[in-house]
Coordinates of all heavy atoms in Angstrom, one line a residue:
T1 N -11.3 -7.9 -31.4 CA -11.2 -7.2 -30.2 C -9.5 -7.0 -30.0 O -8.7 -8.1 -30.2 CB -11.6 -7.9 -28.8 OG1 -12.9 -8.1 -29.1 CG2 -11.4 -7.1 -27.7
C2 N -9.1 -5.8 -29.8 CA -7.7 -5.5 -29.6 C -7.3 -6.2 -28.2 O -7.8 -6.1 -27.2 CB -7.4 -4.1 -29.4 SG -5.8 -3.6 -29.5
P3 N -6.1 -7.0 -28.4 CA -5.6 -7.6 -27.2 C -5.2 -6.6 -26.1 O -4.9 -5.5 -26.3 CB -4.4 -8.4 -27.6 CG -4.4 -8.2 -29.1 CD -5.3 -7.2 -29.6
E4 N -5.4 -7.1 -24.8 CA -5.2 -6.2 -23.7 C -3.7 -5.8 -23.7 O -3.4 -4.6 -23.4 CB -5.3 -7.0 -22.4 CG -5.2 -6.1 -21.2 CD -5.6 -6.8 -19.9 OE1 -6.4 -7.8 -20.0 OE2 -5.1 -6.3 -18.9
S5 N -2.8 -6.6 -24.1 CA -1.4 -6.3 -24.2 C -1.1 -5.1 -25.3 O -0.3 -4.2 -24.9 CB -0.5 -7.3 -24.7 OG -0.9 -7.9 -25.9
A6 N -1.9 -5.0 -26.3 CA -1.7 -4.0 -27.3 C -2.3 -2.7 -26.8 O -1.9 -1.7 -26.9 CB -2.4 -4.3 -28.7
Q7 N -3.4 -2.8 -26.0 CA -4.0 -1.7 -25.4 C -3.0 -1.0 -24.4 O -2.9 0.1 -24.3 CB -5.4 -2.0 -24.6 CG -6.4 -2.5 -25.7 CD -7.7 -3.0 -24.9 OE1 -7.9 -2.8 -23.8 NE2 -8.5 -3.6 -25.7
I8 N -2.5 -1.9 -23.6 CA -1.5 -1.5 -22.6 C -0.3 -0.9 -23.2 O 0.2 0.3 -22.8 CB -1.0 -2.7 -21.7 CG1 -2.2 -3.1 -20.9 CG2 0.2 -2.2 -20.8 CD1 -1.9 -4.4 -20.0
A9 N 0.2 -1.3 -24.4 CA 1.3 -0.8 -25.1 C 0.9 0.5 -25.6 O 1.7 1.4 -25.7 CB 1.7 -1.7 -26.4
A10 N -0.3 0.8 -26.2 CA -0.8 2.0 -26.6 C -0.8 3.1 -25.7 O -0.4 4.1 -25.8 CB -2.2 1.8 -27.3
L11 N -1.3 2.6 -24.5 CA -1.4 3.7 -23.4 C -0.1 4.0 -22.8 O 0.2 5.2 -22.5 CB -2.2 3.0 -22.3 CG -3.8 2.9 -22.5 CD1 -4.5 2.1 -21.5 CD2 -4.4 4.3 -22.8
T12 N 0.8 3.0 -22.7 CA 2.2 3.3 -22.3 C 2.9 4.2 -23.3 O 3.6 5.1 -22.8 CB 3.0 1.9 -22.2 OG1 2.4 1.2 -21.4 CG2 4.4 2.2 -21.8
A13 N 2.7 4.0 -24.6 CA 3.3 4.9 -25.7 C 2.8 6.3 -25.5 O 3.5 7.3 -25.6 CB 3.1 4.4 -27.1
I14 N 1.5 6.4 -25.3 CA 0.8 7.7 -25.1 C 1.3 8.5 -23.9 O 1.8 9.6 -23.9 CB -0.6 7.6 -25.0 CG1 -1.2 7.1 -26.5 CG2 -1.3 8.9 -24.7 CD1 -2.6 6.7 -26.5
G15 N 1.5 7.7 -22.8 CA 2.1 8.3 -21.7 C 3.4 8.7 -21.8 O 3.8 9.8 -21.4
K16 N 4.3 7.8 -22.4 CA 5.7 8.3 -22.7 C 5.8 9.5 -23.5 O 6.6 10.4 -23.3 CB 6.5 7.1 -23.2 CG 6.8 6.0 -22.2 CD 7.8 5.0 -22.9 CE 8.1 4.0 -21.8 NZ 9.2 3.2 -22.2
A17 N 4.9 9.6 -24.6 CA 4.9 10.8 -25.5 C 4.6 12.1 -24.7 O 5.0 13.1 -24.9 CB 3.9 10.5 -26.6
L18 N 3.5 11.8 -23.8 CA 3.1 13.0 -22.9 C 4.2 13.5 -22.1 O 4.4 14.7 -21.8 CB 1.8 12.6 -22.2 CG 0.5 12.5 -23.0 CD1 -0.5 12.0 -22.2 CD2 0.0 13.8 -23.6
V19 N 4.9 12.6 -21.3 CA 6.0 13.0 -20.6 C 7.1 13.7 -21.4 O 7.6 14.7 -20.9 CB 6.5 11.8 -19.9 CG1 7.8 12.0 -19.2 CG2 5.5 11.3 -18.9
A20 N 7.4 13.1 -22.5 CA 8.5 13.8 -23.4 C 8.0 15.2 -23.8 O 8.8 16.1 -23.8 CB 8.8 12.9 -24.6
T21 N 6.7 15.3 -24.2 CA 6.2 16.7 -24.6 C 6.2 17.6 -23.3 O 6.6 18.7 -23.5 CB 4.7 16.5 -25.0 OG1 4.8 15.6 -26.2 CG2 4.2 17.9 -25.6
A22 N 5.9 17.1 -22.1 CA 5.8 18.0 -21.0 C 7.2 18.4 -20.6 O 7.5 19.5 -20.4 CB 5.3 17.3 -19.7
Y23 N 8.2 17.6 -20.8 CA 9.6 17.9 -20.5 C 10.1 18.9 -21.7 O 10.8 19.9 -21.3 CB 10.6 16.7 -20.7 CG 12.0 17.1 -20.5 CD1 12.6 17.2 -19.2 CD2 12.9 17.1 -21.6 CE1 13.8 17.6 -19.0 CE2 14.3 17.4 -21.5 CZ 14.7 17.7 -20.1 OH 16.0 18.0 -20.0
Q24 N 9.6 18.8 -22.9 CA 10.0 19.7 -23.8 C 9.5 21.2 -23.7 O 10.0 22.2 -23.8 CB 9.6 19.2 -25.3 CG 10.5 18.1 -25.8 CD 9.8 17.5 -27.0 OE1 8.8 17.7 -27.4 NE2 10.7 16.6 -27.7
L25 N 8.1 21.1 -23.2 CA 7.6 22.4 -22.9 C 8.2 23.0 -21.8 O 8.3 24.3 -21.6 CB 6.1 22.1 -22.7 CG 5.2 21.8 -24.0 CD1 3.7 21.5 -23.5 CD2 5.2 22.9 -24.9
S26 N 8.5 22.3 -20.8 CA 9.2 22.8 -19.6 C 10.6 23.5 -19.9 O 10.9 24.6 -19.5 CB 9.5 21.8 -18.5 OG 10.2 22.2 -17.5
T27 N 11.3 22.9 -20.7 CA 12.5 23.4 -21.3 C 12.4 24.7 -22.0 O 13.0 25.6 -21.9 CB 13.3 22.4 -22.2 OG1 13.5 21.2 -21.3 CG2 14.7 23.0 -22.6
I28 N 11.4 24.7 -22.8 CA 11.1 25.9 -23.6 C 10.6 27.0 -22.7 O 11.0 28.1 -22.9 CB 10.0 25.6 -24.7 CG1 10.5 24.6 -25.8 CG2 9.3 26.8 -25.3 CD1 9.5 24.1 -26.7
S29 N 9.8 26.7 -21.8 CA 9.3 27.7 -20.7 C 10.6 28.2 -19.9 O 10.6 29.5 -19.8 CB 8.3 27.1 -19.9 OG 7.9 27.9 -18.9
Q30 N 11.4 27.5 -19.6 CA 12.6 27.9 -18.9 C 13.5 28.7 -19.8 O 14.0 29.9 -19.4 CB 13.5 26.8 -18.4 CG 12.8 26.0 -17.3 CD 13.5 24.7 -17.0 OE1 14.6 24.5 -17.5 NE2 13.1 24.0 -15.9
Q31 N 13.6 28.5 -21.1 CA 14.4 29.2 -22.0 C 13.6 30.6 -22.3 O 14.3 31.7 -22.2 CB 14.5 28.6 -23.3 CG 15.5 27.3 -23.2 CD 15.3 26.5 -24.5 OE1 14.5 26.6 -25.2 NE2 16.5 25.7 -24.6
L32 N 12.4 30.7 -22.4 CA 11.7 32.0 -22.6 C 11.7 32.8 -21.2 O 11.9 34.1 -21.4 CB 10.2 31.6 -22.9 CG 9.9 31.0 -24.3 CD1 8.4 30.7 -24.3 CD2 10.2 32.0 -25.3
A33 N 11.7 32.3 -20.0 CA 11.8 33.0 -18.8 C 13.0 33.6 -18.8 O 13.3 34.7 -18.4 CB 11.5 32.2 -17.6
A34 N 14.2 32.8 -19.2 CA 15.6 33.4 -19.2 C 15.8 34.6 -20.2 O 16.3 35.5 -20.0 CB 16.6 32.3 -19.5
A35 N 15.1 34.4 -21.4 CA 15.3 35.4 -22.4 C 14.5 36.6 -22.0 O 14.8 37.8 -22.1 CB 14.7 34.9 -23.7
N36 N 13.4 36.5 -21.3 CA 12.6 37.6 -20.8 C 13.3 38.2 -19.8 O 13.3 39.5 -19.7 CB 11.2 37.1 -20.3 CG 10.3 38.1 -19.9 OD1 10.3 39.2 -20.6 ND2 9.4 38.0 -18.9
Q37 N 13.9 37.7 -18.8 CA 14.8 38.3 -17.8 C 15.9 39.1 -18.4 O 16.2 40.3 -18.0 CB 15.3 37.2 -16.8 CG 16.0 37.8 -15.7 CD 14.9 38.6 -14.8 OE1 13.9 38.3 -14.6 NE2 15.5 39.8 -14.2
H38 N 16.5 38.5 -19.4 CA 17.7 39.1 -20.1 C 17.2 40.4 -20.7 O 17.8 41.5 -20.6 CB 18.2 38.1 -21.2 CG 19.4 38.8 -21.9 ND1 20.6 39.1 -21.4 CD2 19.4 39.3 -23.2 CE1 21.4 39.6 -22.4 NE2 20.6 39.7 -23.4
L39 N 16.0 40.4 -21.3 CA 15.5 41.5 -22.0 C 15.2 42.7 -21.0 O 15.2 43.8 -21.2 CB 14.2 41.3 -22.8 CG 14.5 40.5 -24.1 CD1 13.0 40.0 -24.7 CD2 15.1 41.3 -25.0
R40 N 14.7 42.3 -19.9 CA 14.3 43.2 -18.7 C 15.6 43.9 -18.1 O 15.5 45.0 -17.8 CB 13.5 42.6 -17.7 CG 12.2 42.2 -18.1 CD 11.4 41.4 -16.9 NE 10.2 41.0 -17.4 CZ 9.1 41.1 -16.6 NH1 9.1 41.6 -15.5 NH2 7.9 40.7 -17.2

C-alpha cells in the first residue's frame, strides 16, 4: 500500500503542476488577446 505521505505528495505535485499550467495558459491567452487587438 502506498503510504499516505506519498499519496499526499503525489496530489500536491499534481496540484502544483495544474496551477503552473493554468498560469501558463492564462499568460498565453493574454498574449493572444493582445495580438488579436493589435491586428484589429
Side-chain angles (χ1 to χ4, degrees):
T1 302
C2 187
E4 186 176 337
S5 60
Q7 293 174 16
I8 292 170
L11 290 173
T12 300
I14 290 167
K16 286 186 175 192
L18 287 172
V19 169
T21 301
Y23 178 77
Q24 291 169 344
L25 289 173
S26 174
T27 301
I28 291 168
S29 177
Q30 291 172 1
Q31 292 170 340
L32 288 172
N36 190 31
Q37 187 63 41
H38 177 71
L39 290 173
R40 288 178 187 222

